[in-house]
Amino acid sequence: MSLSLSQWLELLESRHSKSIDLGLERSLEVWQRMGSPRPASRIITVAGTNGKGSTVAYLCSMLQGLGRSFGSYTTPHLLHYNERIQINGVCADDRQLVSAFEKVEAARERTSLTYFEFGTLAAFSIMAEKTLDFAVLEVGLGGRLDAVNILDADCTVITPVGLDHQEYLGVDRESIGREKAGIIRRHIPLVCGEPDPPDSVLAVAERAQAPIFRLGREFDARQLGQSVCFKKGEISWTLPVPLMAGRHQVNNMATAVAALLELEPDFTTERGSLVSSLESVTVNGRMQQLSRHPQVLIDVGHNPLAASVIAQAITASLQENPGRRCRCVIGMLGDKDATGVAKILGPVISNWCCAGLQGCLLYTS
């Protein structure tokens, strides 16, 4: 009797001895038994501490605007597991997921897979059936030992690196950067969403002879009024201001544009389609506006680096509206640095309310 999607997910949540068990051996072994399905002709792998989901969204929107077929894999999901795997912007349905899970299960034999590893292999299987032009894959945790990293990318992206998941990745930015740098491949371009990534990232790129492109150095983007000036080499384009609030979204958008142009320079001939595709990009849970009166924003940020960009966005909003206040309802898991987040947000928050597992809600009034 075939299991439903909810039954599969319940089974996967309880099957492996650890919810997080980093390593490539298990995933690689099962993937090879599945016939080594490659999700697309060209792969972009995105790692980093913050900004991965938004960067993936910008990349996918551009590919859709350019008329290319693509798949995306992101984690975690907000409401439904199906959100994790999308084909041309459409979530995989229950039938596709169940079929892919059955294929992974048939190849698994006695190999035990984590919830994430099982889902990652299912994503590869679903995409491989579609003969896609591009796959945009978000690393779940770290990079070097993440299941996504069993595949060699044609372009790698590392968004800003900060402190998070220290129990798995290391206690400082250099250690964490070294884990993120595990996605780097020899001679394959690396695009970094910050001007000064950890030295450990630069060292890995140098050893791999990977061309590196850093925001604020090899490419740049600056908001000038109601537009964004993007520059990379001889390219100088005017881009739309992101719909999502915050300076960091300008950076995420620019990082995505730089990555796509590095992977496929010929896209410069389709500038109009590429630029227009950026006008309406949004990602649920990233400074998402739920109400205007009063203004209610929700953000899934859960570490100090995320708190910094949220604080910047709130500061800009308060400066535009003197006299307004910002109250924060915050809910975080026990393994997160709630104190560090609160310390950074503190100067712009007038009142606090601690909540359970309902997300982080910010509102001004």
Side-chain angles (χ1 to χ4, degrees), residues 62 66 220-224 227-241 250 253-254 256-262 264-278:
M62 287 187 287
L66 292 165
D220 198 14
R222 299 183 185 278
Q223 182 174 344
L224 301 173
S227 63
V228 173
C229 178
F230 171 85
K231 293 184 178 181
K232 180 178 183 290
E234 297 180 355
I235 295 173
S236 182
W237 286 354
T238 298
L239 304 179
V241 175
V250 173
M253 179 179 69
V257 173
L260 194 59
L261 292 179
E262 192 54 40
E264 186 52 77
D266 289 345
F267 282 162
T268 55
T269 63
E270 301 176 71
R271 171 184 173 183
S273 297
L274 188 151
V275 171
S276 62
S277 68
L278 295 169

Side-chain angles (χ1 to χ4, degrees), residues 24-136:
L24 301 181
E25 296 82 4
R26 296 181 303 275
S27 299
L28 182 60
E29 184 178 315
V30 178
W31 177 69
Q32 290 173 338
R33 286 203 291 263
M34 292 172 65
S36 305
R38 185 172 174 85
S41 298
R42 313 188 81 179
I43 294 173
I44 305 172
T45 298
V46 182
T49 303
N50 291 108
K52 298 189 298 294
S54 298
T55 301
V56 168
Y58 288 117
L59 282 164
C60 290
S61 184
M62 287 187 287
L63 289 170
Q64 191 162 40
L66 292 165
R68 271 54 173 188
S69 61
F70 65 94
S72 63
Y73 178 55
T74 58
T75 56
H77 59 275
L78 282 182
L79 299 176
H80 306 289
Y81 187 90
N82 311 61
E83 300 166 20
R84 297 182 177 217
I85 305 168
Q86 298 188 23
I87 304 296
N88 296 322
V90 178
C91 296
D93 59 34
D94 288 11
R95 179 191 56 80
Q96 289 175 302
L97 285 163
V98 167
S99 176
F101 284 167
E102 290 173 346
K103 291 177 182 178
V104 177
E105 181 71 3
R108 185 180 66 82
E109 298 179 359
R110 296 185 178 182
T111 303
S112 180
L113 297 171
T114 66
Y115 178 95
F116 176 78
E117 290 168 340
F118 205 102
T120 300
L121 294 175
F124 294 170
S125 177
I126 290 173
M127 292 185 199
E129 291 180 350
K130 302 298 181 180
T131 316
L132 302 170
D133 297 324
F134 294 88
V136 186

Side-chain angles (χ1 to χ4, degrees), residues 150-363:
I150 65 174
L151 297 178
D152 293 328
D154 298 284
C155 180
T156 57
V157 177
I158 298 180
T159 63
V161 176
L163 300 180
D164 201 6
H165 300 295
Q166 291 99 309
E167 65 273 35
Y168 299 104
L169 305 180
V171 298
D172 55 33
R173 195 164 173 265
E174 289 298 326
S175 300
I176 294 172
R178 192 172 295 109
E179 292 299 315
K180 308 289 186 187
I183 68 170
I184 296 172
R185 295 296 191 268
R186 189 166 184 81
H187 300 307
I188 295 299
L190 166 67
V191 178
C192 291
E194 57 183 328
D196 298 302
D199 290 340
S200 54
V201 171
L202 300 178
V204 173
E206 183 177 1
R207 288 196 298 271
Q209 296 181 306
I212 186 168
F213 301 87
R214 295 161 291 184
L215 175 68
R217 293 178 183 263
E218 288 76 22
F219 70 98
D220 198 14
R222 299 183 185 278
Q223 182 174 344
L224 301 173
Q226 299 304 307
S227 63
V228 173
C229 178
F230 171 85
K231 293 184 178 181
K232 180 178 183 290
E234 297 180 355
I235 295 173
S236 182
W237 286 354
T238 298
L239 304 179
V241 175
L243 282 181
M244 292 184 282
R247 160 70 204 189
H248 60 293
Q249 289 300 344
V250 173
N251 296 342
N252 293 337
M253 179 179 69
T255 300
V257 173
L260 194 59
L261 292 179
E262 192 54 40
L263 180 62
E264 186 52 77
D266 289 345
F267 282 162
T268 55
T269 63
E270 301 176 71
R271 171 184 173 183
S273 297
L274 188 151
V275 171
S276 62
S277 68
L278 295 169
E279 294 176 349
S280 58
V281 179
T282 59
V283 182
N284 290 336
R286 276 70 167 187
M287 294 300 286
Q288 180 183 356
Q289 183 164 274
L290 302 183
S291 169
R292 290 184 179 276
H293 304 290
Q295 186 179 26
V296 179
L297 303 172
I298 185 169
D299 196 278
V300 297
H302 55 264
N303 54 51
L305 182 58
S308 295
V309 296
I310 293 171
Q312 291 171 8
I314 295 172
T315 298
S317 177
L318 294 178
Q319 288 174 343
E320 293 176 0
N321 301 277
R324 300 183 76 184
R325 296 177 296 162
C326 182
R327 301 183 178 94
C328 179
V329 180
I330 184 170
M332 298 179 68
L333 291 170
D335 63 345
K336 303 304 178 185
D337 184 8
T339 301
V341 168
K343 185 178 294 185
I344 293 170
L345 290 176
V348 296
I349 302 298
S350 61
N351 299 93
W352 292 90
C353 179
C354 295
L357 299 180
Q358 302 301 315
C360 181
L361 192 64
L362 300 173
Y363 63 96

